[in-house]
Amino acid sequence: MGERQSGWGGRPVFVVDGSRTPYIKARGKPGPFSASDLAVAAGQPLLARQPFAAGDFDEVILGCMMPSEDEANIARVAALRLGCGDRVPAWTVQRNCASGMQSIDSAAQNIASGRSSLVLAGGVEAMSRAPIMYNDTMVHWLAALARARTPMAKLKVLGGLRPGHFKPVIALLRGLTDPIVGLSMGQTAEILAHRFGITREMMDNFAVRSHLRLASAHENGDLDEIEVLYDTRGNIYDHDDGVRPDSSIEKLAKLRPVFDKPVGTVTAGNSAQITDGAAWLILASEESVSRHNLPVLGQLIDSQWAGLDPAQMGLGPDYAMAPIMQRHGLDTPDIDYFEINEAFAAQVLACITAWKDPEFCRNELHRDTPFTPIDEERLNVDGGAVAVGHPVGSSGARIVLHMLKLLQRKNAKRGMASICIGGGQGGAMLIERTTG
Amino acid sequence: MENTTENVHFNVATDNDNIIWLHFDKADAGTNVLNTEVFDQLDQHLQKIAAQSPRGLVILSDKANGFIAGADITAFTRIKTSDEALGFLHRGQEVFNRLEALPFPTVALIHGFCLGGGTELSLACRYRVTRDDPGTRMGLPEVKLGIHPGWGGSARMVPLLGGLKAMDLILSGRSIDGRTGKRMGLVDLVVPERHMRAAARKLVLESPTPHQPGLLDRLSNNALVRPLLARVFSQQVAKRAPKNHYPSPYAMIDIWRKHATDKRRMLDAEAQSLANLMTGATAQNLVRVFFLQEQLKSLGKDKTYQPKSVHVIGAGTMGGDIAAWCTFRGFHVTLQDQSPERIAPAVKRAYTLFKRKLKRPIKINEAMDRLMPDHKGIGVERADIIIEAIFEDANVKRSLYKDIEPRMKPDAILATNTSSIPLEELSSALSKPERLVGLHFFNPVAMMQLVEVVTGEATSAEVAARAMTFTRQIDRLPLPVTSTPGFMVNRILMPYLMEAVLLEAEGVPPAVIDKAATDFGMPMGPVQLADTVGLDICLHVAEILAEHFNAEIPQRLKKLVADGNLGRKSGRGFYSYKKGKPVKQKAGDGNWNVDEITNRLIDRLLNESVSCVREHVVESDELLDAGMIFGTGFAPFRGGPMHHIDAVGAEVIYQQLQSLEKLRGKRFTPDPGWEAMTKSSGGKHV
């Protein structure tokens, strides 16, 4: 592997504006919105307030892990529904849990190289609508039934039907299980907890803090990137509804381990919630900014994708952040705010433990010295996925957007957003606030 | 066609398969309609075609807007005697009979509208092909004009579809799209535009067995079953069209009951019955209403004005429904209110409307995507038209206008849905008062076609014209009125409603009052109407009008509202309500002077109408009639208030008013406008 250049090797990449839907917790049945509904609901008010028309985008890129059968190339579906018009091309990207960050990365790449000048990029997921499917035996049985022409033949096939045929395949569960190492995402978190000595108590404390920080952010109006959702039944959704403002250690202690029963430590309470949501960012070249006289929220400086052992995928953020720090000669205090997506409390805690561990840094990150420890007062300050939820395709975009808003609010300079990825990867993005 | 002095309505072509294509393209008309000249030319063509013995005949229209819209209605109005009518009807029957008798396959190739005589022509063909799109619809709407089919519509549809389905279409007058037509057996093939010619050819060349109704449908034509079904049909029709006011559906039922299985007899009966109906008052008046509707439709035809986006402020019952309707009609709409919670119910109602009207999920979703809830009001800056439908308070409205005007596009129109505040009181808040116009919708927006387009003193002619064009673009009927208190409809309705309240306070049961009005021909009685609109709203409007017209408001109304009895929406008003329906006591044994009750109600309405015409609130008698029919459902078969005065005699009503004035008080004082009307010869207003 040769020396990696920083950034996307070209023009600077700016972020102009962004929005997201409230994140809606999945509650055991299909939710009120499809993935494209969510993308459209977040995008409409965003586009309505821009000084340029929806048709002015050079392209639309949307990250999504599981679009429905009616949403082939969901980016195109969303772009057309948003009124971008027939002429704006669109494509959908998938890098598992970081699909929302991949779309931003790809948009940045195209702007930097000069292919595009104004791009709408984001991420969406409607996990509550993940399909329940027929298993293979059933599919074969149905095919046989369709092939049978005579009444006798049909009867014969019907006679072969068994209870086992009806056992459904729950796509969501399968999607959250790594097919190479055969572990659920939660189990990878248990492995990290064991490796880095993260206790149940530490995880629960982290989870409580995430909920309290999110509740406080809602109340203080620190999440103004949220656009209200309206369903067809007269209901509105105006905040991340998985939040528990009254969360406490005592409440969380009651929960049983859900991935490694009966003596595991990772519970539903200290894991990210299964959620539906969408987030968009508008990225622009300098030329677009001046042509349309656009305000600038911030600038994307660099990104990194990294691979690691799928069984410990939760450490992905460290593997992705480190090379960026290295390239730019940065240490922890140079970054004003971090957001590490909270797939699991255990996993984030493992990341910050490893970050300051000399052995880990030497062996895995190839650093002579460990990083300065990450100050937890500067990490996920407005709450994270444990409280907000983790719509898989969307979170990568949410954390980049929120980092930009946070830097603006705090009048700070540099932020790092990173995310672990099922399958053993990590993604990170270095973001800077520009004034004007 | 050798005769070059006549209009040429048809042209003919023969293709390589020896199929003749007869194109109907009525000269000097944008729409194909049937009249004597058309029938004559068609007849000649059919005779020539018969002599050529082609493989088949396809009849199609060269007009983009549709196949055939029906009979030429202007021809109707020229027919003065039932003998003339009979002649016209027999001529059409003769030509269609000739078409039916052709010994080779015949196909009607239908796109767009196919109504009345157009459907009858297609029924005389062996097959029917329709285009597969929502704009292509077939029907027999004659009952809506107080008549019924007379060129074989029932005689041919009954054997084709069976009695039940055929009578349903004829008695309701509704139109159906191609797919529904195919399911019912009326249409043989429904295809997209690109396959229409091929479909017609296929039917000619393959000549399949024409459609036969199923067993159940055939049974409904059985002689034993018909009397029973006829009674059921009559009862259903009676719910919306009482026999004494609307004779035509009952005449149709009778014809079917007597002759359903005998096509010859049905044709004769159709013609006889229709000849009588055509010259009767109901049909004449309903045709007049049709022309009034055409008159309103002709206002606002500026093709150069193409607004795209609408911003509605106020997501209440009116604002929300206006937004939904504009969205349904294809506009991009942003809907604003003070909070998301206030917009959400409107989104739900919009979805219900789209489901009902659009049916297909793709179309429903498209419509939902066009409607954007906008509690921050971003839409103000992009809108071509802003419709304000907030609380009926001049101060609140003025302060809103001051707030939004700086953000509006330079030539955006500001329309207010105010029902009673004169525009001059509102335009003072604007730096460009000429951009303010009133667009007064009626409730419910999806059903009430009328929109009063209110011109204030400051309103520019261009803005008023654009408002009317926009009204047509959303498929509503614009009625130009001046900015006077209550405009036209509410102003005329108010004395009528207040009289009902007074009657009720005198002890007359609400059910009796309402029955007097519905017997006269109003769609709903005044008491129930007041309850439905909301007594608080009635009181509010009454107060505003009372201020300007020096009228008194009945104590009874004030008390009901003060006690919280607001009508249907609060479960109790004059009536109590169960599940939204009024609980009506039986009329009882009181000996009520129903004639006097009716006169008290209707004459106040008529008096106020005369007043509106005199004050030029509306420009003409016709427009007043049109407004009252389409805005309140005023007995259409009477042709409207002014026409009714004409029919009864202005002198007669004037005297009624005078004697009521003596008996009941000065609220019955005849308006000065009656002088001119009663002075004209014979007491009739010209």
Side-chain angles (χ1 to χ4, degrees):
Chain A
M1 282 191 287
E3 169 104 7
R4 162 67 212 268
Q5 277 192 336
S6 81
W8 292 276
R11 310 190 291 179
V13 180
F14 296 100
V15 177
V16 165
D17 198 350
S19 67
R20 71 172 175 90
T21 66
Y23 277 12
I24 315 278
K25 186 172 170 167
R27 289 173 201 276
K29 60 176 182 168
F33 307 101
S34 70
S36 56
D37 290 340
L38 293 164
V40 170
Q44 267 189 350
L46 174 66
L47 298 190
R49 62 178 184 246
Q50 303 307 318
F52 56 86
D56 288 338
F57 285 116
D58 293 308
E59 60 178 335
V60 174
I61 313 175
L62 187 56
C64 185
M65 239 264 287
M66 294 179 292
S68 82
E69 325 67 58
D70 295 320
E71 294 170 333
N73 191 4
I74 190 175
R76 177 64 168 169
V77 172
L80 287 172
R81 286 181 64 181
L82 282 170
C84 294
D86 292 346
R87 306 299 218 124
V88 175
W91 49 300
T92 305
V93 298
Q94 203 252 69
R95 198 194 282 255
N96 210 342
C97 316
S99 303
M101 187 180 278
Q102 178 64 60
S103 69
I104 297 171
D105 190 48
S106 300
Q109 182 67 71
N110 282 355
I111 290 178
S113 68
R115 274 180 93 157
S116 293
S117 214
L118 190 64
V119 181
L120 180 65
V124 65
E125 207 71 60
M127 298 178 85
S128 70
R129 292 211 177 184
I132 310 261
M133 311 184 311
Y134 288 125
N135 64 41
D136 267 352
T137 357
M138 179 61 132
V139 176
H140 281 116
W141 182 84
L142 286 168
L145 189 65
R147 278 196 306 272
R149 297 274 169 228
T150 69
M152 269 319 291
K154 285 201 197 286
L155 265 172
K156 190 153 180 263
V157 175
L158 281 167
L161 194 60
R162 295 279 173 275
H165 285 79
F166 291 95
K167 185 158 191 277
V169 173
I170 302 181
L172 192 59
L173 287 180
R174 298 283 280 260
L176 293 172
T177 304
D178 188 304
I180 302 297
V181 295
L183 296 166
S184 69
M185 297 299 116
Q187 285 171 321
T188 69
E190 292 274 8
I191 289 172
L192 292 180
H194 180 250
R195 178 175 169 186
F196 290 96
I198 316 293
T199 65
R200 169 76 186 259
E201 206 186 325
M202 289 162 72
M203 294 177 211
D204 285 351
N205 270 317
F206 186 93
V208 170
R209 192 177 63 190
S210 188
H211 279 278
L212 295 181
R213 283 180 172 181
L214 178 62
S216 158
H218 277 145
E219 227 179 271
N220 297 337
D222 291 337
L223 292 166
D224 65 354
E225 64 259 38
I226 293 180
E227 296 290 343
V228 179
L229 280 170
Y230 297 77
D231 70 10
T232 57
R233 293 176 183 214
N235 301 313
I236 62 158
Y237 306 80
D238 61 0
H239 64 284
D240 307 308
D241 72 354
V243 69
R244 293 180 192 273
D246 57 347
S247 183
S248 68
I249 272 283
E250 295 75 32
K251 290 194 173 139
L252 288 178
K254 295 193 190 129
L255 297 171
R256 285 194 235 278
V258 67
F259 302 105
D260 271 349
K261 305 180 205 216
V263 295
T265 49
V266 179
T267 69
N270 56 40
S271 305
Q273 303 172 49
I274 309 275
T275 313
D276 300 346
W280 288 109
L281 284 79
I282 296 178
L283 283 77
S285 66
E286 197 156 3
E287 183 222 0
S288 275
V289 167
S290 56
R291 174 151 31 103
H292 298 290
N293 205 7
L294 301 171
V296 170
L297 200 47
Q299 188 180 353
L300 304 180
I301 303 299
D302 202 351
S303 76
Q304 178 73 44
W305 302 107
L308 64 152
D309 174 13
Q312 302 187 62
M313 67 91 200
L315 285 176
D318 284 2
Y319 287 77
M321 291 193 288
I324 297 181
M325 305 290 279
Q326 198 91 357
R327 284 198 283 276
H328 295 265
L330 301 171
D331 191 14
T332 308
D334 297 316
I335 306 289
D336 294 310
Y337 291 97
F338 286 85
E339 175 132 15
I340 301 177
N341 196 48
E342 297 168 4
F344 304 92
Q347 161 259 330
V348 179
L349 289 167
C351 282
I352 61 184
T353 309
W355 190 253
K356 62 184 189 219
D357 180 61
E359 214 181 298
F360 176 84
C361 287
R362 195 180 322 112
N363 296 337
E364 302 291 321
L365 305 180
H366 311 298
R367 281 179 65 85
D368 298 327
T369 55
F371 286 103
T372 305
I374 293 175
D375 176 4
E376 293 194 40
E377 292 308 301
R378 296 194 160 259
L379 168 68
N380 300 353
V381 300
D382 289 328
V386 163
V388 178
H390 178 30
V392 173
S394 182
S395 296
R398 173 186 74 78
I399 60 180
V400 173
L401 174 60
H402 191 66
M403 182 55 72
L404 287 156
K405 303 287 266 178
L406 178 64
L407 294 177
Q408 187 187 51
R409 186 172 100 230
K410 300 279 192 187
N411 212 3
K413 179 139 197 291
R414 249 195 228 104
M416 177 81 83
S418 65
I419 183 163
C420 60
I421 306 176
Q425 293 190 70
M429 215 168 250
L430 179 62
I431 296 149
E432 276 184 15
R433 184 168 124 66
T434 49
T435 42
Chain B
M1 296 300 307
E2 315 303 331
N3 195 334
T4 52
T5 57
E6 270 179 6
N7 294 319
V8 173
H9 302 304
F10 294 88
N11 55 79
V12 196
T14 309
D15 71 10
N16 295 334
D17 291 299
N18 198 22
I19 301 173
I20 293 187
W21 298 75
L22 180 61
H23 298 250
F24 183 14
D25 188 0
K26 188 163 190 295
D28 285 346
T31 303
N32 280 338
V33 291
L34 303 168
N35 60 18
T36 309
E37 194 178 68
V38 169
F39 277 131
D40 286 342
Q41 290 186 16
L42 176 58
D43 202 24
Q44 286 177 339
H45 278 293
L46 290 178
Q47 289 184 53
K48 250 179 102 176
I49 289 166
Q52 287 174 269
S53 290
R55 190 78 183 275
L57 167 64
V58 180
I59 302 180
L60 66 161
S61 156
D62 278 353
K63 303 276 187 218
N65 60 12
F67 183 65
I68 297 171
D72 186 352
I73 310 265
T74 49
F76 257 59
T77 54
R78 280 187 245 118
I79 289 174
K80 296 293 175 212
T81 68
S82 45
D83 276 341
E84 274 178 56
L86 205 51
F88 184 46
L89 294 169
H90 278 149
R91 184 69 179 116
Q93 285 194 2
E94 195 185 9
V95 179
F96 288 168
N97 287 348
R98 190 191 295 284
L99 172 55
E100 186 181 40
L102 290 172
F104 40 80
T106 50
V107 181
L109 192 53
I110 298 161
H111 70 275
F113 45 70
C114 173
L115 303 169
T119 302
E120 290 176 296
L121 186 153
S122 77
L123 283 167
C125 297
R126 200 181 297 178
Y127 308 106
R128 284 149 295 282
V129 175
T130 61
R131 193 173 63 188
D132 185 17
D133 70 307
T136 294
R137 302 183 74 81
M138 292 181 73
L140 289 168
E142 286 87 338
V143 284
K144 295 185 183 173
L145 286 179
I147 52 179
H148 59 64
W151 286 322
S154 66
R156 294 195 171 95
M157 194 177 268
V158 166
L160 184 65
L161 302 189
L164 208 50
K165 291 197 173 101
M167 291 307 280
D168 165 46
L169 284 181
I170 295 173
L171 295 175
S172 65
R174 70 191 176 94
S175 59
I176 54 175
D177 66 13
R179 295 187 190 186
T180 310
K182 179 135 197 304
R183 276 199 300 273
M184 291 175 94
L186 178 60
V187 173
D188 297 285
L189 284 176
V190 186
V191 293
E193 173 80 58
R194 59 187 177 277
H195 291 316
M196 285 193 62
R197 291 188 70 100
R201 276 187 72 243
K202 180 186 166 78
L203 287 169
V204 168
L205 296 175
E206 291 177 16
S207 214
T209 324
H211 176 262
Q212 286 286 322
L215 181 62
L216 234 53
D217 290 325
R218 265 179 289 147
L219 262 175
S220 62
N221 277 338
N222 181 284
L224 296 171
V225 173
R226 286 196 325 255
L228 297 163
L229 275 181
R231 216 173 314 161
V232 172
F233 292 155
S234 298
Q235 281 166 357
Q236 288 192 331
V237 174
K239 282 183 199 157
R240 271 185 299 140
K243 189 168 179 178
N244 52 344
H245 296 151
Y246 298 98
S248 74
Y250 302 90
M252 185 82 270
I253 293 170
D254 217 40
I255 294 173
W256 173 72
R257 182 177 54 83
K258 290 187 183 134
H259 309 295
T261 47
D262 186 336
K263 193 193 300 186
R264 171 98 282 132
R265 287 235 167 87
M266 270 198 100
L267 280 167
D268 285 341
E270 271 187 24
Q272 284 291 344
S273 166
L274 185 46
N276 286 331
L277 288 169
M278 269 170 79
T279 49
T282 295
Q284 293 283 326
N285 284 339
L286 288 179
V287 167
R288 179 167 184 274
V289 171
F290 172 79
F291 281 119
L292 290 175
Q293 189 181 46
E294 293 297 296
Q295 196 182 354
L296 291 184
K297 281 187 184 176
S298 71
L299 304 166
K301 276 204 164 141
D302 178 10
K303 298 247 186 273
T304 63
Y305 182 52
Q306 303 269 344
K308 294 272 177 313
S309 50
V310 177
H311 183 73
V312 178
I313 307 179
T317 309
M318 289 309 288
D321 287 358
I322 293 170
W325 184 259
C326 292
T327 309
F328 163 64
R329 290 293 306 166
F331 284 87
H332 279 87
V333 178
T334 42
L335 177 57
Q336 182 179 0
D337 206 314
Q338 290 168 326
S339 70
E341 283 85 349
R342 295 167 85 114
I343 304 176
V347 174
K348 177 179 178 184
R349 291 199 311 273
Y351 181 65
T352 309
L353 175 73
F354 301 151
K355 265 202 303 189
R356 184 162 53 91
K357 292 283 212 179
L358 297 169
K359 299 194 171 63
R360 299 186 206 178
I362 284 187
K363 291 292 171 194
I364 299 171
N365 291 337
E366 245 179 48
M368 288 300 285
D369 281 351
R370 281 197 299 270
L371 176 62
M372 186 179 108
D374 182 16
H375 71 280
K376 294 182 191 159
I378 315 173
V380 170
E381 288 154 40
R382 293 200 158 183
D384 299 308
I385 298 171
I386 298 181
I387 301 179
E388 168 270 300
I390 64 173
F391 185 60
E392 191 77 340
D393 176 311
N395 282 323
V396 178
K397 287 186 199 282
R398 276 194 294 263
S399 122
L400 173 71
Y401 296 174
K402 275 212 177 67
D403 188 49
I404 62 174
E405 195 185 14
R407 292 163 47 216
M408 284 173 65
K409 279 182 11 183
D411 52 357
I413 292 178
L414 179 56
T416 170
N417 183 50
T418 183
S419 60
S420 36
I421 305 174
L423 260 49
E424 291 67 35
E425 290 182 28
L426 299 175
S427 58
S428 53
L430 293 168
S431 69
K432 286 208 246 172
E434 60 270 20
R435 77 200 313 174
L436 181 68
V437 68
L439 278 181
H440 182 219
F441 290 81
F442 291 88
N443 193 4
V445 175
M447 264 179 52
M448 304 306 288
Q449 290 186 283
L450 194 77
V451 174
E452 285 178 316
V453 179
V454 189
T455 313
E457 275 165 20
T459 310
S460 78
E462 192 189 10
V463 167
R466 287 184 163 186
M468 294 212 267
T469 302
F470 170 69
T471 304
R472 283 302 300 139
Q473 286 166 348
I474 57 172
D475 193 29
R476 302 287 82 178
L477 300 172
L479 179 77
V481 297
T482 57
S483 170
T484 46
F487 313 131
M488 195 196 85
V489 172
N490 281 349
R491 174 169 160 182
I492 295 178
L493 272 184
M494 196 48 61
Y496 161 76
L497 292 180
M498 290 302 107
E499 193 63 26
V501 174
L502 287 172
L503 281 162
E504 195 266 354
E506 288 169 20
V508 184
V512 171
I513 301 171
D514 280 352
K515 187 166 188 302
T518 51
D519 282 350
F520 176 81
M522 301 302 282
M524 186 191 278
V527 182
Q528 191 179 346
L529 180 61
D531 267 358
T532 307
V533 167
L535 296 181
D536 50 341
I537 295 178
C538 281
L539 180 59
H540 188 85
V541 176
E543 278 166 353
I544 296 180
L545 293 183
E547 226 180 272
H548 285 100
F549 294 119
N550 225 345
E552 256 186 63
I553 301 177
Q555 270 304 109
R556 175 92 170 106
L557 179 61
K558 292 187 193 170
K559 177 142 202 327
L560 275 169
V561 174
D563 290 344
N565 293 316
L566 305 180
R568 191 177 80 179
K569 63 189 177 194
S570 72
R572 204 195 159 74
F574 285 101
Y575 293 108
S576 2
Y577 287 82
K578 268 205 170 93
K579 290 193 185 170
K581 298 241 188 287
V583 177
K584 291 198 180 187
Q585 260 76 33
K586 284 286 166 193
D589 47 6
N591 274 333
W592 305 107
N593 185 346
V594 175
D595 279 344
E596 204 211 348
I597 292 172
T598 308
N599 285 347
R600 282 174 63 174
L601 291 170
I602 301 300
D603 288 353
R604 286 208 67 191
L605 189 153
L606 298 176
N607 201 18
E608 200 64 37
S609 300
V610 170
S611 178
C612 281
V613 171
R614 176 180 57 78
E615 290 184 18
H616 298 288
V617 173
V618 68
E619 262 174 48
S620 68
D621 287 6
E622 279 81 35
L623 286 176
L624 187 138
D625 283 345
M628 285 306 287
I629 290 169
F630 294 109
T632 70
F634 180 94
F637 67 92
R638 294 192 191 270
M642 300 309 287
H643 193 77
H644 171 70
I645 293 174
D646 233 20
V648 171
E651 192 59 49
V652 172
I653 313 278
Y654 182 70
Q655 277 169 9
Q656 280 174 8
L657 282 167
Q658 283 186 315
S659 58
L660 280 168
E661 184 187 7
K662 287 200 188 79
L663 267 176
R664 300 283 175 185
K666 62 180 174 63
R667 64 185 190 275
F668 285 98
T669 308
D671 183 270
W674 287 97
E675 289 236 5
M677 293 171 69
T678 49
K679 276 206 182 98
S680 318
S681 55
K684 288 224 171 219
H685 179 68
V686 176

